[in-house]
Amino acid sequence: MSANRSGNRAEPFEVVAPRLVDVAMGRAPADLVLRNARWVNVHSGEIIPETDIAVVAGRFAYCGPDASHAIGAGTEVVDVAGRYVVPGLCDAHMHVESGMVTVTEFCRAVIPHGTTSMFVDPHEIANVLGLEGVRLMHDEALEQPVNVFVQMPSCVPSAPGLEEGGAVLGPAEVAEAMTWPLIVGLGEVMNFPGVAANDPTMVGEIAATRAAGKTVGGHFASPDLGLAFHGYVAGGAEDDHEGTRMEDAAARVRQGMKAMLRLGSAWYDVAAQVKAITEMGLDSRHFILCTDDCHSGTLVRDGHMNRVVRHAIAQGLKPMTAIQMATINTAEHFKLEREIGSVTPGRRADFLIVSDLAEFAIDSVYGRGVRIASQGRLEADMPAHAYPESAVDTVKLGRPLVADDFRVKAPDGAAESATVRVIGVVENQAPTRALTARLPVENGIVVPDLDADVCRIALVERHRASGTLTNGFVSGFNYRGRVAMASTVAHDCHHMIVVGTSEADMALAANRLGEVGGGVAFFADGEEKALIEMPIAGLMSNERAEIVAEKADRLIAAMRDAGCGLNNAYMQHSLLALAVIPALRISDKGIVDSETFRIVDLFV
């Protein structure tokens, strides 16, 4: 039996509880019975052989040695033949928009990989469309055959005073969103200096979330574990995914937070932090696995949370521990353990049939008691979701851009060279380095030094049609020749970031995105080499994930042909304006020192 979108809704527990009891007692038949399973019990930490599992109304009714009493004339019986029955996987922290696709298309991509619950923070679309954008994604989430829980974005803009995005949200909007059915908490509180300083907006948003009995997401993007960290924890943040070291994970758990360890398309933070469990012996119940974003190419080719679980096992975790960190630990953190996270009576029947636990080889995926994927192929019927016109007219440049817009004039007195601040990309990590470089000056213009791996970067304002830019320099992409890449995915303000060696190509790439309504464009020698159209808020494509992945492959190939060998260079590009993560960034207000949270001059 496979699923259509309307055919696998799990009714509220209080509505179906009598039916669950009747099936467990043998007074009524189950909809589905699994026989001869190895039951992966994440509560007890056991793998229990020769188990039968009965499902009715989208929920588990019976888990025990013999469910023959629950089999009736209309019951579907599946002989699991000794394979493992595992809870559906949960991604505890992610942003759908970073997958380049809509909620529906994201779910289509990840369901075959075993993800049945996602905790999404739509702060990307919130920074473009405000509360309306959050509601659009929330309502699309309601249509899915799996669980897409939503956290209300907390920092719109993410760095007040350092950037100006497309919207402003505060405590009143947070309080309103807390009444929506899928809102489970407050999204990552990135303004950690604001929390430590008792900023009224941050205090008000956290208070509104706590008053609603929901979870406050954290984001402490600093290696400094001194008083500012302690003040941040005291302010109410309950988890954090920004750690990169073993001591980061340990510090968070010791303070009563959940340490979220991420493996995304560009972030590889599990290996270092999992040592807090494998070497320090800390209690794994307080550690959670997440992606914090995978782009469409990763989803289509490499997987999603199944990839994270396999990686965690490869780093020395027992398979049971890794599975707990991707299921019950997440459910408990978001106060949803009565609904998801385990194969136990009363919970939603979201589960996987797995033939090899260590390799995490998934044969089938079930959502609310209905098979929705098998052997890596989606079986659920998931029609595309249409967004309103207001969500697809968001790239407002104000005027055509020209090559001269991307030139940096030398300061007075700098006839031959000038010392500038340079944003240094760190491969596979979100933080950057604050570098300096002495660059040549030609005819009054500061010229990039490609031999030293320094090229141009510009942030183009795209929300208010002001026609303004901020120019700077960046290192780490190793571009050669006359090339440029532009993207309207520019965390978190989501203006437009353009990186390149040729001012003319930078103008071409930027203007191209203005024509198509946003996305990513790559130009070389005046020719378009790759284009991913993302007309929904300038952040998401309206095409299938497989098509977007093919276009992303062409983008990656174009970047490599231009000399860039960074792993997931596109995601590194998209974070260059993320002013809440150290050390140096670019915004519509200038060059940002993200350690002192102030605007600094480009020239040293």
Side-chain angles (χ1 to χ4, degrees), residues 189-308:
V189 180
M190 296 177 285
N191 186 3
F192 53 91
V195 174
N198 278 327
D199 174 81
T201 297
M202 293 295 95
V203 170
E205 290 184 359
I206 292 170
T209 305
R210 295 285 289 259
K214 300 185 178 181
T215 303
V216 178
H219 169 117
F220 188 83
S222 171
D224 183 1
L225 299 175
L227 289 182
F229 170 69
H230 288 274
Y232 182 72
V233 177
E238 298 177 63
D239 60 56
D240 191 19
H241 54 274
E242 288 296 334
T244 59
R245 307 167 300 176
M246 179 176 70
E247 55 265 38
D248 294 331
R252 284 147 176 81
V253 169
R254 286 168 177 164
Q255 295 294 319
M257 303 174 81
K258 303 298 183 185
M260 291 186 174
L261 317 186
R262 62 186 174 185
L263 178 73
S265 289
W267 326 132
Y268 289 70
D269 298 327
V270 173
Q273 293 189 91
V274 80
K275 293 177 182 178
I277 301 171
T278 58
E279 295 183 8
M280 296 179 65
L282 300 192
D283 191 336
S284 64
R285 292 179 303 163
H286 304 294
F287 293 78
I288 291 171
L289 295 174
C290 69
T291 64
D292 195 16
D293 298 347
C294 294
H295 67 61
S296 56
T298 301
L299 299 177
V300 170
R301 286 188 298 275
D302 301 330
H304 190 233
M305 284 303 297
N306 59 331
R307 168 178 175 255
V308 184

Side-chain angles (χ1 to χ4, degrees), residues 22-362:
D22 285 343
V23 169
M25 294 296 294
R27 294 191 292 259
D31 296 330
L32 170 70
V33 168
L34 307 177
R35 309 213 72 173
N36 192 27
R38 292 184 186 180
W39 177 19
V40 178
N41 192 309
V42 293
H43 289 282
S44 67
E46 301 172 280
I47 297 174
I48 305 169
E50 299 178 353
T51 297
D52 287 1
I53 297 167
V55 174
V56 70
R59 293 180 181 271
F60 297 112
Y62 170 89
C63 303
D66 184 4
S68 57
H69 62 284
I71 298 174
T75 302
E76 179 186 7
V77 179
V78 176
D79 184 1
V80 179
R83 290 174 293 173
Y84 302 90
V85 173
V86 180
L89 302 179
C90 306
D91 189 346
H93 178 74
M94 53 164 282
H95 310 280
V96 166
E97 305 97 315
S98 294
M100 308 179 183
V101 292
T102 63
V103 175
T104 301
E105 291 306 316
F106 197 97
C107 289
R108 288 184 77 258
V110 304
I111 285 171
H113 299 305
T115 303
T116 60
S117 294
M118 288 159 270
F119 294 81
V120 308
D121 179 354
H123 69 211
E124 323 301 354
I125 200 169
N127 272 278
V128 179
L129 296 174
L131 193 62
E132 175 197 0
V134 179
R135 187 76 208 211
L136 287 172
M137 293 190 71
H138 171 278
D139 290 353
E140 185 182 5
L142 284 167
E143 301 177 357
Q144 305 311 312
V146 291
N147 312 302
V148 183
F149 301 105
V150 182
Q151 293 177 277
M152 174 61 186
S154 64
C155 297
V156 180
S158 65
L162 300 178
E163 64 182 7
E164 188 173 355
V168 177
L169 301 178
E173 290 80 11
V174 169
E176 177 185 339
M178 289 298 142
T179 66
W180 301 351
L182 291 181
I183 296 289
V184 295
L186 188 65
E188 53 179 313
V189 180
M190 296 177 285
N191 186 3
F192 53 91
V195 174
N198 278 327
D199 174 81
T201 297
M202 293 295 95
V203 170
E205 290 184 359
I206 292 170
T209 305
R210 295 285 289 259
K214 300 185 178 181
T215 303
V216 178
H219 169 117
F220 188 83
S222 171
D224 183 1
L225 299 175
L227 289 182
F229 170 69
H230 288 274
Y232 182 72
V233 177
E238 298 177 63
D239 60 56
D240 191 19
H241 54 274
E242 288 296 334
T244 59
R245 307 167 300 176
M246 179 176 70
E247 55 265 38
D248 294 331
R252 284 147 176 81
V253 169
R254 286 168 177 164
Q255 295 294 319
M257 303 174 81
K258 303 298 183 185
M260 291 186 174
L261 317 186
R262 62 186 174 185
L263 178 73
S265 289
W267 326 132
Y268 289 70
D269 298 327
V270 173
Q273 293 189 91
V274 80
K275 293 177 182 178
I277 301 171
T278 58
E279 295 183 8
M280 296 179 65
L282 300 192
D283 191 336
S284 64
R285 292 179 303 163
H286 304 294
F287 293 78
I288 291 171
L289 295 174
C290 69
T291 64
D292 195 16
D293 298 347
C294 294
H295 67 61
S296 56
T298 301
L299 299 177
V300 170
R301 286 188 298 275
D302 301 330
H304 190 233
M305 284 303 297
N306 59 331
R307 168 178 175 255
V308 184
V309 170
R310 279 196 298 265
H311 176 73
I313 293 169
Q315 301 310 311
L317 285 183
K318 296 177 181 178
M320 176 64 75
T321 302
I323 292 168
Q324 289 170 324
M325 289 167 59
T327 57
I328 190 62
N329 292 12
T330 305
E332 289 178 345
H333 178 55
F334 288 102
K335 306 175 179 66
L336 288 167
E337 67 274 12
R338 293 181 178 180
E339 288 290 319
I340 64 171
S342 66
V343 178
T344 46
R347 279 69 175 181
R348 299 180 191 183
D350 305 327
F351 63 92
L352 319 175
I353 297 177
V354 174
S355 53
D356 185 318
L357 210 57
E359 293 296 323
F360 215 74
I362 299 171

Side-chain angles (χ1 to χ4, degrees), residues 97 99-102 296 392 395 486-489 512-522 528 530-544 547-552 554-555 570:
E97 305 97 315
M100 308 179 183
V101 292
T102 63
S296 56
V392 296
V395 180
S487 171
T488 52
V489 178
R512 183 68 169 124
L513 293 188
E515 294 171 3
V516 301
V520 191
F522 194 96
E528 181 180 300
L531 176 67
I532 308 173
E533 303 93 330
M534 300 186 202
I536 301 171
L539 302 171
M540 296 178 286
S541 172
N542 51 12
E543 296 182 299
R544 289 287 171 90
I547 296 172
V548 177
E550 291 175 1
K551 293 182 177 182
R554 289 196 287 272
L555 174 68
Y570 158 72

Side-chain angles (χ1 to χ4, degrees), residues 350-577:
D350 305 327
F351 63 92
L352 319 175
I353 297 177
V354 174
S355 53
D356 185 318
L357 210 57
E359 293 296 323
F360 215 74
I362 299 171
D363 295 341
S364 299
V365 181
Y366 285 73
R368 302 160 195 169
V370 177
R371 197 177 72 196
I372 52 179
S374 180
Q375 301 301 327
R377 298 181 64 86
L378 182 73
E379 295 183 346
D381 179 19
M382 300 174 63
H385 179 87
Y387 275 74
E389 189 63 30
S390 60
V392 296
D393 182 24
T394 66
V395 180
K396 301 176 175 68
L397 301 183
R399 62 181 176 86
L401 298 173
V402 297
D404 196 52
D405 289 320
F406 298 92
R407 296 187 175 112
V408 175
K409 294 182 180 178
D412 293 340
E416 296 183 356
S417 64
T419 301
V420 300
R421 288 183 168 86
V422 178
I423 302 170
V425 172
V426 180
E427 187 170 26
N428 293 330
Q429 290 193 5
T432 64
R433 294 177 294 161
L435 307 176
T436 60
R438 191 152 191 88
L439 300 180
V441 173
E442 298 178 3
N443 299 318
I445 301 299
V446 182
V447 180
D449 185 351
L450 300 190
D451 290 336
D453 187 19
V454 177
C455 63
R456 298 191 185 280
I457 181 173
L459 185 136
V460 181
E461 195 283 319
R462 66 109 163 172
H463 297 305
R464 295 174 298 280
S466 66
T468 59
L469 296 82
T470 299
N471 282 301
F473 297 93
V474 65
S475 175
F477 291 100
N478 200 36
Y479 285 136
R480 294 290 183 268
R482 296 170 52 83
V483 301
M485 186 169 99
S487 171
T488 52
V489 178
H491 303 275
D492 278 327
C493 58
H494 297 293
H495 289 295
M496 182 191 296
I497 295 175
V498 191
V499 171
T501 63
S502 157
E503 301 94 329
D505 286 279
M506 293 173 79
L508 287 170
N511 290 328
R512 183 68 169 124
L513 293 188
E515 294 171 3
V516 301
V520 191
F522 194 96
F523 276 71
D525 296 318
E527 295 184 4
E528 181 180 300
K529 299 297 184 181
L531 176 67
I532 308 173
E533 303 93 330
M534 300 186 202
I536 301 171
L539 302 171
M540 296 178 286
S541 172
N542 51 12
E543 296 182 299
R544 289 287 171 90
E546 304 93 301
I547 296 172
V548 177
E550 291 175 1
K551 293 182 177 182
D553 286 344
R554 289 196 287 272
L555 174 68
I556 293 168
M559 297 178 79
R560 286 178 178 163
D561 288 346
C564 180
L566 279 176
N567 178 52
N568 279 296
Y570 158 72
M571 292 197 79
Q572 302 277 184
H573 177 112
S574 73
L575 291 185
L576 292 171

